[in-house]
Amino acid sequence: MDGLIGASAEALRLLFTGDREIWEIVAISFSVSFRAILYIVPLAILSAFALAYGNFPGRRVLITIVNALVALPAVVVGLLLYMLLSSSGPFGGWRLLFTQGAMIIGQMILAFPLLVAMIHVSLQGVDLSAWQTARTLGASIFRAMFTIMREVRFGLIAAIVAGFGRVVSEVGCSIMVGGNILHHTRNIPTAIALETSKGEFEQGIALGAVLITLALALNFAVATVRGRDMARH
Amino acid sequence: MSNLPEFITIQNVQKYISNRMVLDIDELVVYQSECVVVHGPNGSGKSTLLKILAGLMTPDSGVATTNGVVRPWRQAIREFRANAVYLHQTPYLFDRSVEDNIAYGLRFRNRSQSVLFSEVQSAMEWAGLSHLAKRNARDLSGGEKQRVALTRARILEPKLLLLDEPTAAMDRKSRKQTFSLIRDLASGGNAVYIATHEAADLYQPDRVIQLDYGKLVV
């Protein structure tokens, strides 16, 4: 118990004294996950719209596959990506393995099904007449999409927050394709895993606190915006 | 036959939904500036016909002629969309103010902000909605919502206005107001097609067409 209290106190000291190594890991973590979500959100939105409003063969099968992939283990994505990006793999020439680029690709793959599934559910909550109304009033396909996105904005924000939460805390893929290299690819989850394996809990607790604070802050922000909007009606 | 100029002609149009034929029309001519009531029981294909004329639904087969030119459906759909506005039985109003809803379609046309504002104001006056301008459209009654939807369509000055059961589930006062607006729209030079169960006389149409099991019977 004393060990836990002591480690926690040391963790707080590291955080509040601006320990450079800790905050660099936090910055890498946020930068990688933010870019992964930024790059994959447009494709996820387009896919969700196609699944919600498209009329093509195999649509239902695709919905089932996307829903199944929500639970895709990060370590499996890491393994597949490792095989593709390693020097003997088909994309070895790109020299992406053990770079932030590889971590971003892995996190994009992980976030994609979750984002598509959640946005698709939000879109299903809007009547098809919303889409038809936008189109009959002269909106192009993209304008109509923006209109519907505005209608489901809270579902969209919730999906993005959930997607970010999923990738910022995953360890399996990042450690395999990122390599946990200090100053380069060491992010919060991989650092926690490393420090814990060494029996040094202070840094792990400090980084864990950052993750928990982030999760609380994001969810609080979404709930506040949603609450304000509901009060307005 | 009408003395009015032809606007759209659809021929041999068939539409299947879930392997069931819901529309089978040999020929239908839409004349410019005519008011037509489309009668028929539930499931007779009224909404499907209106959605095809709005370019919101593609038939499985058929030929379309617009302004005297036979066009492939893909091209015809563009023509339909550019000229027609379809109103659902339960209008969908966007989660924004009444004036923003009415301005929605105008924003896709080249209008300066001041012209847009003045057009929206005069459209709201026409429908008696000025006092509701800043209200969220979702908070309105059924009759008020239908009036917002009609105004939102009217402001675009479509050549063809397609109204699907516009007074269904309305109280007497709202129906009276809506009838008055629709008659005003129908006398304004654009073609109006109204799918309804109501007595056709209420709309003072130029003609009435009857659909039964997807076929035109009158």
Side-chain angles (χ1 to χ4, degrees):
Chain A
M1 189 67 184
D2 285 348
L4 180 63
I5 293 168
S8 301
E10 177 60 15
L12 287 176
R13 192 194 65 75
L14 288 172
L15 281 176
F16 290 110
T17 55
D19 182 83
R20 197 176 160 191
E21 192 175 308
I22 290 250
W23 288 107
E24 186 183 54
I25 290 167
V26 170
I28 288 171
S29 213
F30 277 42
S31 164
V32 166
S33 298
F34 179 78
R35 281 184 285 166
I37 292 296
L38 187 70
Y39 300 154
I40 202 62
V41 157
L43 184 61
I45 289 173
L46 284 174
S47 306
F49 266 96
L51 292 179
Y53 298 122
N55 188 15
F56 54 88
R59 191 175 68 95
R60 287 189 183 174
V61 175
L62 273 179
I63 292 171
T64 307
I65 291 171
V66 165
N67 286 330
L69 289 177
V70 169
L72 186 66
V75 73
V76 173
V77 174
L79 173 66
L80 291 173
L81 204 53
Y82 185 95
M83 288 162 65
L84 291 171
L85 297 178
S86 64
S87 55
S88 57
F91 304 112
W94 292 2
R95 297 182 177 277
L96 273 174
L97 199 60
F98 304 137
T99 66
Q100 289 188 6
M103 293 167 76
I104 289 169
I105 293 169
Q107 294 193 358
M108 285 166 68
I109 295 168
L110 274 174
F112 182 72
L114 179 66
L115 287 167
V116 174
M118 287 188 71
I119 297 169
H120 178 243
V121 167
S122 295
L123 293 175
Q124 282 184 313
V126 180
D127 201 280
L128 177 64
S129 64
W131 175 262
Q132 292 179 335
T133 298
R135 294 289 280 148
T136 199
L137 292 172
S140 64
I141 286 178
F142 282 104
R143 293 272 203 156
M145 280 177 65
F146 278 113
T147 300
I148 303 300
M149 279 161 61
R150 183 178 154 155
E151 295 294 296
V152 299
R153 56 194 176 277
F154 296 111
L156 200 60
I157 292 169
I160 292 170
V161 168
F164 187 80
R166 162 104 158 110
V167 297
V168 83
S169 58
E170 72 78 24
V171 62
C173 182
S174 291
I175 212 160
M176 288 185 82
V177 300
N180 201 13
I181 303 165
L182 188 61
H183 308 306
H184 294 286
T185 58
R186 183 167 300 171
N187 62 8
I188 295 175
T190 60
I192 291 174
L194 178 72
E195 297 304 319
T196 306
S197 70
K198 290 195 299 190
E200 292 172 10
F201 299 112
E202 296 83 0
Q203 207 181 56
I205 291 171
L207 291 167
V210 171
L211 270 187
I212 290 167
T213 306
L214 169 77
L216 286 173
L218 285 174
N219 282 292
F220 182 74
V222 172
T224 305
V225 174
R226 191 168 212 156
R228 271 189 198 158
D229 187 74
M230 285 172 81
R232 193 166 59 83
H233 295 308
Chain B
M1 278 296 280
S2 166
N3 293 326
L4 296 166
E6 288 183 22
F7 174 37
I8 294 171
T9 303
I10 55 172
Q11 290 169 303
N12 304 319
V13 166
Q14 290 188 327
K15 177 69 185 174
Y16 290 83
I17 295 177
S18 303
N19 294 324
R20 191 174 72 88
M21 187 159 69
V22 292
L23 201 65
D24 181 14
I25 290 182
D26 294 333
E27 183 178 86
L28 173 68
V29 182
V30 177
Y31 296 97
Q32 287 175 20
S33 317
E34 66 169 352
C35 179
V36 176
V37 163
V38 185
H39 262 167
N42 285 337
S44 60
K46 299 190 299 292
S47 298
T48 305
L49 171 63
L50 263 52
K51 284 182 181 174
I52 284 175
L53 290 174
L56 292 173
M57 203 177 254
T58 311
D60 295 300
S61 62
V63 176
T65 308
T66 59
N67 298 316
V69 181
V70 180
R71 299 174 198 275
W73 268 108
R74 187 180 284 268
Q75 206 180 336
I77 281 175
R78 272 204 293 270
E79 284 279 315
F80 291 176
R81 283 207 176 131
N83 292 300
V85 173
Y86 171 85
L87 264 76
H88 292 85
Q89 179 175 343
T90 308
Y92 187 92
L93 298 184
F94 300 117
D95 184 12
R96 48 184 87 178
S97 70
V98 167
E99 62 183 356
D100 275 354
N101 264 280
I102 292 171
Y104 181 82
L106 276 188
R107 294 191 194 283
F108 306 129
R109 300 179 177 191
N110 288 330
R111 294 278 201 286
S112 70
Q113 203 59 29
S114 61
V115 170
L116 188 142
F117 179 77
S118 100
E119 285 187 43
V120 170
Q121 296 307 312
S122 76
M124 284 194 298
E125 274 171 34
W126 171 79
L129 291 167
S130 300
H131 63 295
L132 300 171
K134 302 290 179 196
R135 283 267 297 275
N136 188 295
R138 295 271 176 85
D139 299 338
L140 305 181
S141 69
E144 288 167 339
K145 283 180 179 171
Q146 191 61 266
R147 276 154 60 204
V148 172
L150 276 170
T151 313
R152 187 171 62 179
R154 177 196 180 251
I155 203 169
L156 298 174
E157 298 175 340
K159 288 183 181 163
L160 174 60
L161 191 55
L162 303 151
L163 311 177
D164 199 349
E165 303 281 2
T167 56
M170 267 188 199
D171 59 38
R172 222 173 117 189
K173 189 182 164 199
S174 299
R175 283 178 64 210
K176 207 173 153 191
Q177 286 174 321
T178 307
F179 282 138
S180 162
L181 292 181
I182 291 171
R183 280 197 292 263
D184 191 27
L185 278 169
S187 63
N190 38 5
V192 181
Y193 267 56
I194 306 153
T196 182
H197 286 100
E198 306 269 5
D201 292 349
L202 290 166
Y203 297 97
Q204 298 163 3
D206 297 309
R207 64 180 169 130
V208 178
I209 59 175
Q210 179 81 27
L211 275 174
D212 205 6
Y213 292 104
K215 286 184 173 292
L216 277 180
V217 290
V218 178

